[in-house]
Amino acid sequence: MKISLTSLIAITSLFFIQTGLAQTDQPKDDWKPATSNQPGKDYPKVNSEGRVMLRIVAPEAVSVGCTFRDSSEFKKGEDGAWYGYTRPLDEGFHYYSLKIDGAEVPDPNSMMYFGAMRWGSGVELPAHDQDIYALKNVPHGQLREIFFHSESLNSERRAFVYTPPGYDQNTNQRYPVLYLQHGWGENEYGWGNQGSAAKIMDNLIAEGKTRPFIIVMTYGLTNDTRMGGLRNFKIEPFETMLIAELIPYIDAGFRTLADQPNRAMAGLSMGGMETKTITLRNLDKFSHIGLFSGGSISLEDIADMEAFKQSNKLVFVSYGSREVGGSQPRRGGDPQANVNALKEAGINSHYYISPDTAHEWQTWRRSLHQFAPLLFKH
Amino acid sequence: MKISLTSLIAITSLFFIQTGLAQTDQPKDDWKPATSNQPGKDYPKVNSEGRVMLRIVAPEAVSVGCTFRDSSEFKKGEDGAWYGYTRPLDEGFHYYSLKIDGAEVPDPNSMMYFGAMRWGSGVELPAHDQDIYALKNVPHGQLREIFFHSESLNSERRAFVYTPPGYDQNTNQRYPVLYLQHGWGENEYGWGNQGSAAKIMDNLIAEGKTRPFIIVMTYGLTNDTRMGGLRNFKIEPFETMLIAELIPYIDAGFRTLADQPNRAMAGLSMGGMETKTITLRNLDKFSHIGLFSGGSISLEDIADMEAFKQSNKLVFVSYGSREVGGSQPRRGGDPQANVNALKEAGINSHYYISPDTAHEWQTWRRSLHQFAPLLFKH
């Protein structure tokens, strides 16, 4: 049989296309234990495509799965354990749970993180820029768990305070403060755990890229709105606790620069909404504003532009690239257009897009990494 | 019919005995959510008998259970969830897991603790003396997560440092230091989480019952002995890291009283064994010794009694009452007899038995509460 060149090319192309398809279906076999595993655990594993391979011993189970959508079917391996793998995921950190015969439970092999309203499993995918939050042999700050009494809420409240390297030694030095909020369904542990805030700061400071400052992270909800959802959320009790109680407590207990030019607030998602509301209502308290996947500030949001221009030193707005696509109108306006309008009005405004990430922690780690060097540059 | 008084007493007694038995089988219906639950979770519940009621939604499961021995059968309730309850447990904290069709997993309703070699579930039973570790409106110390570089182990190591209330304000004051170790299968988080060390200290200090001091808690293993078990454990790498690296790091970074009279070491279980070995080999480093469910010091353990008497200021040995019963010989000798022998030899020795507890955290919380007031009384 004689085969024409055209036919040969067609056949060859088909072969490669089919192979390509097959390669997409068959995950690449370069699995490594995730860095988010519990000590000594081989699974979950991650591969260079960004897939996660999960494993659970459940000898009598009828069906096993996980909360990652579009995952493979889970099947029993030769060792009797169940195995399944995910679609390629974005770089960085993701929450998940296992499903065992209908029960949604933490994976006993993963470390535990608070998000999606529960302490449960998470997995860390390697990222091209993971160096920014790596644990390195550099001078380390401290992450301090503190408790303060709130009169207005009649309770002992927890906060985490990051103090930069040298804080305990440089006893004549005072530091600016960033109040940094988590998102809905998360809590005051988020930025210190999956957010890697201390490591990001330690590394930036070691490279001389940011001024050392204190970060304060506390719980952004004040009543049990878990069941009612975000629409029942009232910000006033949180605002009172933050402004009237936590800030004075921090200024009394830490060597802060306790004035407006040296105080910033930022937050992710719901924490960005809190930041926007509270900073705009308290121009005399905060000079630097960061909104990470949490809206933007339009000209209409600013009641008195002259007062704002005189008090504000930075408006930083960021999103993951996968959040801002699409053509549907965004509540609060297009963030980039809003940032541009602020800039034209004479505000020091920055817009950052995290490449190839969505409404997730890799976006917010990168946002902090971009935001910190812009703070307190006076 | 005439009933004799004797018969009446016999019948009445039988009635009460039977009633008593029935009450033991049927758990008392005064269930309350455990304080160790995740936010907003009603289960696990605990009752006044010290039982724990567990609940898990697992619609397709064939069998559900838990790792508490002698628990009830788990049955589906009217809401379709599975329910089961434990035997009466000791007061205080217990690790556990759920079993769903043979899979041993964390309970998604409980907070997560590291013990038994994993981050997983734990439950808190009310205790008659829970006031000693309650979170109160008193001046609070800080629990600080720090990282230090170990040359000998070529890694960044985590430690938690408790600094007492006022540490940041009283900048002319220096403090003694207690090095406090966890047990086998646990890690450096144990004393700060389920051990409640910071709350115990805050409360003791508020009541004026102990001198304020610093506590340093780090990981007590240096190589991956998880699989090999305790018999493969070599203490030398830990001892080198502790003595040559961590202590100098703490003395350089914190306002310590950096001499032998102001340095103590204590530990629970394996941490007690580490404490015994390291303190006896380093009389010039530690003056106060605490062994919680971790052996005792006999006269034979002390190489040079005169040197020991001159350098040591306290030997404290404790156990749970359920650990020291029985007539079988104990490796290392009877702890109470050893403490008595030390006392007769002129050593300041204390022996404490935690009532109605076993080899568990309630014993160790109480041990710290007893031990702290005896420290640094010079």
Side-chain angles (χ1 to χ4, degrees):
Chain A
M1 193 175 97
K2 242 185 116 178
I3 297 174
S4 72
L5 186 62
T6 317
S7 302
L8 191 63
I9 290 171
I11 291 167
T12 311
S13 302
L14 189 65
F15 172 80
F16 276 118
I17 289 166
Q18 285 182 330
T19 309
L21 283 172
Q23 281 176 341
T24 306
D25 284 353
Q26 283 298 319
K28 210 169 165 189
D29 192 18
D30 56 356
W31 301 101
K32 286 176 195 162
T35 57
S36 45
N37 290 357
Q38 293 204 20
K41 300 292 185 186
D42 278 342
Y43 287 85
K45 288 187 174 177
V46 295
N47 77 359
S48 58
E49 298 167 316
R51 294 184 196 265
V52 181
M53 175 83 82
L54 300 168
R55 176 185 188 270
I56 181 75
V57 177
E60 298 150 38
V62 175
S63 77
V64 169
C66 68
T67 53
F68 286 115
R69 65 177 168 76
D70 303 333
S71 295
S72 78
E73 206 183 325
F74 277 62
K75 292 177 180 167
K76 273 198 180 177
E78 287 174 14
D79 60 356
W82 292 79
Y83 292 84
Y85 58 87
T86 70
R87 72 187 192 281
L89 304 170
D90 290 347
E91 295 185 340
F93 177 85
H94 304 272
Y95 302 114
Y96 73 100
S97 299
L98 291 178
K99 293 178 183 176
I100 303 174
D101 284 348
E104 208 170 300
V105 292
D107 183 343
N109 294 323
S110 91
M111 297 289 278
M112 302 295 171
Y113 306 89
F114 193 82
M117 302 278 187
R118 89 288 180 273
W119 284 98
S121 296
V123 63
E124 189 71 55
L125 272 295
H128 75 278
D129 56 348
Q130 62 194 13
D131 196 60
I132 67 174
Y133 49 85
L135 177 60
K136 300 181 189 176
N137 181 11
V138 296
H140 296 293
Q142 301 175 356
L143 192 63
R144 308 181 180 192
E145 183 184 21
I146 67 164
F147 287 90
F148 64 101
H149 181 73
S150 166
E151 283 291 334
S152 67
L153 301 170
N154 191 28
S155 63
E156 303 297 296
R157 314 282 300 180
R158 183 191 282 106
F160 289 96
V161 178
Y162 170 80
T163 53
Y167 178 87
D168 280 330
Q169 285 67 50
N170 312 330
T171 51
N172 291 322
Q173 194 175 337
R174 293 186 163 267
Y175 298 84
V177 187
L178 165 63
Y179 290 82
L180 184 60
Q181 291 304 125
H182 58 84
W184 177 250
E186 296 170 336
N187 66 12
E188 68 275 22
Y189 287 84
W191 272 109
N193 288 358
Q194 60 267 40
S196 302
K199 285 177 277 190
I200 290 169
M201 288 300 297
D202 286 352
N203 293 339
L204 279 173
I205 293 167
E207 293 168 15
K209 287 186 179 164
T210 186
R211 198 174 151 181
F213 55 84
I214 292 168
I215 305 180
V216 179
M217 297 152 276
T218 197
Y219 188 47
L221 298 178
T222 49
N223 52 349
D224 194 346
T225 52
R226 277 180 297 268
M227 303 309 151
L230 199 47
R231 75 196 134 78
N232 291 343
F233 178 63
K234 288 194 180 51
I235 200 168
E236 288 74 15
F238 173 66
E239 185 177 0
T240 298
M241 182 266 279
L242 179 72
I243 301 286
E245 295 171 341
L246 181 55
I247 290 178
Y249 185 89
I250 294 294
D251 285 337
F254 292 83
R255 294 196 318 281
T256 63
L257 290 162
D259 54 5
Q260 190 266 5
N262 291 292
R263 196 178 297 120
M265 184 172 182
L268 71 91
S269 194
M270 177 191 77
M273 294 160 50
E274 293 178 325
T275 297
K276 176 177 169 177
T277 303
I278 290 174
T279 54
L280 289 181
R281 286 210 286 230
N282 295 273
L283 297 184
D284 60 324
K285 295 284 188 299
F286 302 97
S287 50
H288 298 70
I289 302 172
L291 311 179
F292 309 162
S293 304
S296 57
I297 294 177
S298 70
L299 293 178
E300 293 72 40
D301 291 323
I302 300 171
D304 179 341
M305 180 53 85
E306 271 316 298
F308 189 76
K309 274 175 76 167
Q310 286 191 8
S311 70
N312 183 272
K313 296 292 172 277
L314 173 70
V315 173
F316 176 95
V317 172
S318 68
Y319 276 96
S321 67
R322 301 197 204 284
E323 293 184 273
V324 283
S327 57
Q328 71 275 32
R330 178 175 286 269
R331 197 165 147 265
D334 174 64
Q336 180 147 29
N338 283 342
V339 167
N340 290 343
L342 288 185
K343 210 177 279 183
E344 280 167 33
I347 310 293
N348 178 28
S349 307
H350 285 255
Y351 187 59
Y352 170 70
I353 293 293
S354 163
D356 302 326
T357 61
H359 200 71
E360 57 199 8
W361 275 99
Q362 194 68 4
T363 303
W364 307 322
R365 291 167 173 168
R366 289 173 179 166
S367 295
L368 177 61
H369 182 256
Q370 296 286 326
F371 179 59
L374 304 174
L375 290 176
F376 314 121
K377 301 186 78 164
H378 43 264
Chain B
M1 194 176 94
K2 245 184 114 180
I3 299 173
S4 73
L5 186 63
T6 318
S7 301
L8 189 66
I9 291 171
I11 290 166
T12 312
S13 301
L14 189 65
F15 173 79
F16 277 117
I17 288 168
Q18 284 181 331
T19 309
L21 282 172
Q23 280 177 342
T24 306
D25 283 354
Q26 282 299 319
K28 209 170 165 187
D29 192 18
D30 56 357
W31 302 102
K32 287 177 196 163
T35 57
S36 46
N37 290 357
Q38 293 204 20
K41 300 293 185 186
D42 278 342
Y43 287 84
K45 288 188 175 178
V46 296
N47 76 0
S48 59
E49 298 167 317
R51 295 184 196 265
V52 181
M53 175 82 82
L54 300 169
R55 176 185 189 270
I56 180 75
V57 177
E60 299 151 38
V62 175
S63 77
V64 169
C66 68
T67 53
F68 286 115
R69 66 177 166 77
D70 303 332
S71 295
S72 77
E73 207 183 325
F74 276 63
K75 291 177 181 166
K76 274 199 182 177
E78 285 174 16
D79 59 356
W82 292 79
Y83 292 84
Y85 59 87
T86 70
R87 72 187 192 281
L89 303 170
D90 290 346
E91 294 185 340
F93 176 85
H94 304 272
Y95 301 115
Y96 73 100
S97 299
L98 291 178
K99 293 177 182 177
I100 303 173
D101 284 348
E104 208 169 299
V105 291
D107 182 342
N109 295 323
S110 91
M111 297 287 279
M112 302 296 170
Y113 306 89
F114 194 82
M117 302 280 187
R118 89 289 180 273
W119 284 99
S121 297
V123 63
E124 189 71 56
L125 272 295
H128 75 279
D129 57 348
Q130 62 194 13
D131 195 60
I132 68 175
Y133 48 85
L135 177 60
K136 300 181 190 176
N137 181 10
V138 296
H140 296 293
Q142 300 176 356
L143 192 63
R144 307 180 181 194
E145 183 184 22
I146 67 165
F147 287 90
F148 64 100
H149 182 73
S150 166
E151 283 291 334
S152 67
L153 300 169
N154 192 28
S155 62
E156 304 296 297
R157 313 283 300 179
R158 184 190 283 106
F160 289 96
V161 179
Y162 169 79
T163 53
Y167 178 87
D168 281 330
Q169 283 68 49
N170 312 330
T171 51
N172 290 323
Q173 194 175 336
R174 292 187 162 267
Y175 297 84
V177 186
L178 164 64
Y179 290 82
L180 184 60
Q181 291 304 125
H182 59 83
W184 177 250
E186 296 169 337
N187 67 12
E188 67 275 23
Y189 288 84
W191 272 110
N193 288 358
Q194 59 268 40
S196 302
K199 283 176 278 189
I200 290 169
M201 289 300 296
D202 286 351
N203 292 339
L204 279 173
I205 292 168
E207 293 167 14
K209 288 186 178 165
T210 186
R211 200 175 149 180
F213 54 84
I214 292 167
I215 305 180
V216 179
M217 298 152 275
T218 196
Y219 188 48
L221 298 177
T222 50
N223 51 351
D224 194 347
T225 53
R226 278 179 298 267
M227 303 311 151
L230 199 48
R231 75 197 134 77
N232 291 342
F233 178 63
K234 288 193 179 54
I235 200 169
E236 288 75 14
F238 173 66
E239 185 177 0
T240 299
M241 182 268 278
L242 179 71
I243 300 287
E245 295 171 342
L246 181 56
I247 290 178
Y249 184 89
I250 295 294
D251 285 337
F254 291 84
R255 294 196 317 281
T256 64
L257 290 162
D259 54 5
Q260 190 266 5
N262 291 293
R263 196 179 296 119
M265 185 171 180
L268 71 93
S269 195
M270 177 192 78
M273 296 161 50
E274 293 179 326
T275 297
K276 176 177 171 177
T277 303
I278 290 175
T279 55
L280 290 180
R281 288 211 287 231
N282 295 275
L283 297 184
D284 61 325
K285 295 285 189 297
F286 302 97
S287 51
H288 299 70
I289 302 173
L291 311 179
F292 309 162
S293 305
S296 57
I297 294 176
S298 70
L299 293 177
E300 293 72 41
D301 291 323
I302 299 170
D304 180 342
M305 181 52 88
E306 271 316 299
F308 189 76
K309 274 174 75 167
Q310 286 190 9
S311 70
N312 184 273
K313 295 292 172 276
L314 173 70
V315 174
F316 176 95
V317 172
S318 68
Y319 276 97
S321 66
R322 301 196 205 284
E323 293 185 275
V324 284
S327 57
Q328 72 276 31
R330 178 176 286 269
R331 195 165 149 264
D334 174 65
Q336 180 147 29
N338 283 342
V339 167
N340 289 342
L342 287 185
K343 210 176 277 183
E344 280 168 32
I347 309 294
N348 178 29
S349 307
H350 285 254
Y351 187 59
Y352 170 70
I353 293 292
S354 162
D356 301 326
T357 61
H359 200 71
E360 58 199 7
W361 276 100
Q362 194 67 4
T363 303
W364 307 322
R365 292 167 174 170
R366 289 174 179 166
S367 295
L368 177 61
H369 183 255
Q370 295 287 325
F371 180 59
L374 303 173
L375 290 176
F376 314 121
K377 301 187 75 163
H378 44 266

